Amino acid sequence: MQITLETKPYASLETDALVTPVFEGDDPVQGRVAELDQLTGGLLKKLAASGELTGKTLEFTLLHTPAGLKARRLLLVGAGKKDQFNVATLRKIAGAALRSLKAKSVSNFAFLAGGTLPVADGSQAIVEGLLTGDFETDKYKTDKKDKKIESVLLAGFPENAAEEAQKGMSRGRIIAESQNFARDLINEPSNKLTPRVLAEKAQAMAKDAGLSVDVLDEKKIADLKMGALLSVAQGGPEPPRMIVVTYTPANAKPGAPVIGLVGKAVTFDTGGISIKPADGMEKMKYDMAGGATMLGTMRALAALKPNVKVICVVPATENMPGGTAQKPGDIQTAMSGKTIEVLNTDAEGRLILADAITYAKQLGVTHIVDAATLTGAIVVALANINVGVFGSADQSWTDKLLTSAKATGEKMWQMPMDDEYREFIKGSFADIQNIGSGKGGGSITGAWFIREFAGDTPWIHLDIAGTAWNDDAKPWLAKGPTGVALRTLVHLVLSQ
Ligand code: BES
Ligand code: ZN
Ligand code: ZN
């Protein structure tokens, strides 16, 4: 989809549709909307008076062959109250406008930017909304809808803001395309995306993006004594992979911080011998969303070129219940040397992250963020609204991430990590056990397990089990993978 900046007066744009946000208030016909009202001969005032045009968030009003405009349609999209308007709302409006026009077989439109946001932030959000909104999960459908938006004009910016707008637009494209890259991976079923295939896709991405990549095969993994990762992989015939992608800035300084991005990639989680119920098990193809998100983040960083070194480590495996699978009660030795009592083979994400974090530290990372579809318990706590955030003692590192989440409009909520919870994973027969012995707090005990391996290194864990998959389509986003956390992570790294 082509997106271009257009500084010509919007009334003269020959396009299938002109889209504009409308703010909610006593009188929604203000500013740009008042201009459009004049052009259309007072039509919008009438709609507002009748209560049909209010500006409530994502309210849609579609007018055909509007007088005074060359555009064939005028689409007014509610943007909510002006003082609450932010990049997240703008992104949603752009995505929802695109999806609704696409459904009507429109092939091109112009989006009128406006509002109170800085130009670059606004144009970035619009492009992100358009491109993530355009993403469909119909790859394996043979009767694909041929509805397609070919081109969008970004209009309404003053001419002297063109440079800033372009800057935001190119940044928005990099981030959204990387998010869609991650979503594509997450959407792949497990018969198409095994750990080996994920590694190949990571290699191809790294090559295209100019990143260095190293894939450890099962032999190397065994040589490095990654017993926790191997214990999960031993249940099925697919060999595991440890994928390492590195971004090094042009003027890397010795002694500078190195960020480690670690992502869980269980390409299918049956639960292993502690097998999951059949109902809903098909969704466990998205148990590699953390890994995909980290690879997508690296793709974006390669183009945005931050001034900090970033090492991405993705442990990839299936979790299968074969005859060689590990069994409840088995004791495994992780790469770090810690022994783990595996009380439940379905708590496998923390096992593979344990070795990935140990390896990342060995590679020299000084600050870690991990992302994982780790627990069903986080869905109970935060539903599909907030990402669960867990931190180590270094709250300043966690605060940086929360600031980035706020700035990019991704909802994240910090969970407690009191020492008392740590007691829950003390092992009876080994150093630690992989599930909590107390009742409740399942996401926190999961986080504590991972923290044991991060040790003193500042560390953040993002539990994205509730937020990485959209069960129902939203007006601005298709059903399926969301690519959540990527924008926050890109922002976090860029702000270092
Ligand atoms: N992959 C699951 C977590 C999950 C649940 C992701 C729902 C997405 C949606 C994870 O490996 C798992 O099975 N966790 C167990 C942990 C339990 C055994 C302590 C869970 O949450 O039930
Ligand atoms: Zn599991
Ligand atoms: Zn899992």
Side-chain angles (χ1 to χ4, degrees):
M1 184 171 59
Q2 219 187 345
I3 307 174
T4 38
L5 191 68
E6 177 57 83
T7 49
K8 273 208 282 257
Y10 58 83
S12 66
L13 296 177
E14 289 201 33
T15 170
D16 279 349
L18 190 65
V19 181
T20 185
V22 182
F23 290 104
E24 187 179 354
D26 296 337
D27 180 9
V29 185
Q30 301 280 336
R32 173 73 47 66
V33 184
E35 282 171 34
L36 286 163
D37 179 59
Q38 294 240 306
L39 285 166
T40 56
L43 184 57
L44 306 187
K45 273 220 167 80
K46 273 187 217 149
L47 283 172
S50 72
E52 211 176 312
L53 182 70
T54 67
K56 282 207 172 67
T57 310
L58 292 177
E59 170 196 77
F60 276 67
T61 314
L62 182 63
L63 305 173
H64 288 263
T65 53
L69 296 175
K70 282 267 167 64
R72 287 172 279 282
R73 297 175 187 79
L74 176 60
L75 175 60
L76 302 140
V77 188
K81 300 219 163 69
K82 204 167 198 164
D83 57 353
Q84 282 161 26
F85 187 66
N86 55 26
V87 288
T89 314
L90 183 54
R91 207 182 280 126
K92 281 182 190 170
I93 291 175
L98 178 133
R99 293 186 72 75
S100 96
L101 291 170
K102 184 157 71 169
K104 293 186 193 313
S105 301
V106 162
S107 70
N108 66 86
F109 65 92
F111 192 96
L112 272 179
T116 46
L117 301 172
V119 169
D121 293 353
S123 64
Q124 178 181 337
I126 295 167
V127 171
E128 286 173 358
L130 293 172
L131 291 172
T132 53
D134 197 33
F135 178 90
E136 304 290 357
T137 47
D138 58 359
K139 178 170 171 190
Y140 292 107
K141 293 205 172 169
T142 53
D143 62 339
K144 274 200 224 342
K145 296 176 223 148
D146 49 7
K147 293 179 175 173
K148 215 172 146 207
I149 301 282
E150 302 286 351
S151 62
V152 181
L153 298 176
L154 234 144
F157 287 114
E159 206 144 342
N160 62 7
E163 202 177 315
E164 274 296 287
Q166 292 283 13
K167 236 192 250 169
M169 286 169 70
S170 71
R171 184 182 277 229
R173 183 172 278 276
I174 291 164
I175 292 173
E177 285 179 347
S178 299
Q179 194 170 339
N180 288 347
F181 165 80
R183 291 165 82 196
D184 244 330
L185 294 176
I186 298 166
N187 189 47
E188 288 292 332
S190 72
N191 62 328
K192 306 279 182 194
L193 191 104
T194 60
R196 283 180 291 176
V197 174
L198 180 64
E200 282 163 15
K201 291 192 185 246
Q203 277 167 323
M205 179 279 289
K207 190 162 170 255
D208 283 352
L211 294 162
S212 59
V213 60
D214 184 26
V215 174
L216 313 186
D217 63 10
E218 65 274 29
K219 260 192 73 211
K220 194 81 205 285
I221 290 170
D223 288 349
L224 289 167
K225 297 193 163 54
M226 296 181 173
L229 171 60
L230 284 172
S231 79
V232 177
Q234 77 186 45
E238 277 296 334
R241 290 290 181 265
M242 186 70 89
I243 305 164
V244 183
V245 179
T246 304
Y247 165 80
T248 310
N251 48 352
K253 287 190 204 79
V258 179
I259 297 178
L261 301 179
V262 179
K264 168 181 175 181
V266 174
T267 57
F268 197 81
D269 183 10
T270 66
I273 295 299
S274 314
I275 200 159
K276 287 181 181 294
D279 193 26
M281 201 204 271
E282 73 281 358
K283 268 180 67 183
M284 281 303 116
K285 67 172 188 173
Y286 89 90
D287 212 21
M288 35 60 73
T293 303
M294 292 315 192
L295 292 172
T297 302
M298 295 305 288
R299 184 189 179 280
L301 293 175
L304 295 169
K305 304 205 183 317
N307 217 347
V308 56
K309 182 168 176 175
V310 186
I311 303 176
C312 169
V313 181
V314 176
T317 179
E318 292 186 331
N319 186 22
M320 296 293 283
T324 55
Q326 67 176 335
K327 301 168 285 294
D330 284 3
I331 293 176
Q332 310 291 0
T333 305
M335 184 189 185
S336 72
K338 257 195 218 316
T339 56
I340 304 165
E341 204 180 333
V342 179
L343 296 183
N344 188 317
T345 65
D346 197 9
E348 85 296 343
R350 61 202 73 181
L351 296 174
I352 70 173
L353 290 170
D355 284 344
I357 283 178
T358 303
Y359 190 55
K361 289 201 316 189
Q362 189 174 308
L363 294 176
V365 307
T366 61
H367 293 72
I368 301 170
V369 187
D370 82 63
T373 46
L374 202 77
T375 64
I378 203 68
V379 191
V380 177
L382 302 173
N384 60 348
I385 308 297
N386 274 282
V387 171
V389 178
F390 304 80
S392 53
D394 188 333
Q395 182 62 31
S396 67
W397 177 231
T398 311
D399 283 340
K400 282 185 184 155
L401 177 111
L402 293 171
T403 303
S404 292
K406 261 243 140 57
T408 57
E410 290 191 307
K411 287 185 190 286
M412 302 208 179
W413 192 259
Q414 187 171 3
M415 303 285 285
M417 284 290 279
D418 304 80
D419 289 339
E420 285 89 334
Y421 294 107
R422 186 185 191 166
E423 303 299 314
F424 291 19
I425 54 162
K426 277 213 168 129
S428 309
F429 306 106
D431 297 339
I432 48 174
Q433 57 190 41
N434 79 330
I435 59 170
S437 47
K439 276 228 176 326
S443 302
I444 305 172
T445 45
W448 257 113
F449 183 95
I450 304 169
R451 181 168 162 179
E452 287 292 317
F453 294 87
D456 293 333
T457 306
W459 157 87
I460 300 163
H461 159 60
L462 304 176
D463 194 335
I464 57 171
T467 45
W469 190 265
N470 235 344
D471 280 323
D472 304 298
K474 302 256 167 51
W476 61 89
L477 215 63
K479 170 179 173 161
T482 62
V484 72
L486 183 142
R487 287 199 305 264
T488 298
L489 291 165
V490 169
H491 189 279
L492 174 71
V493 174
L494 287 177
S495 57
Q496 290 312 295

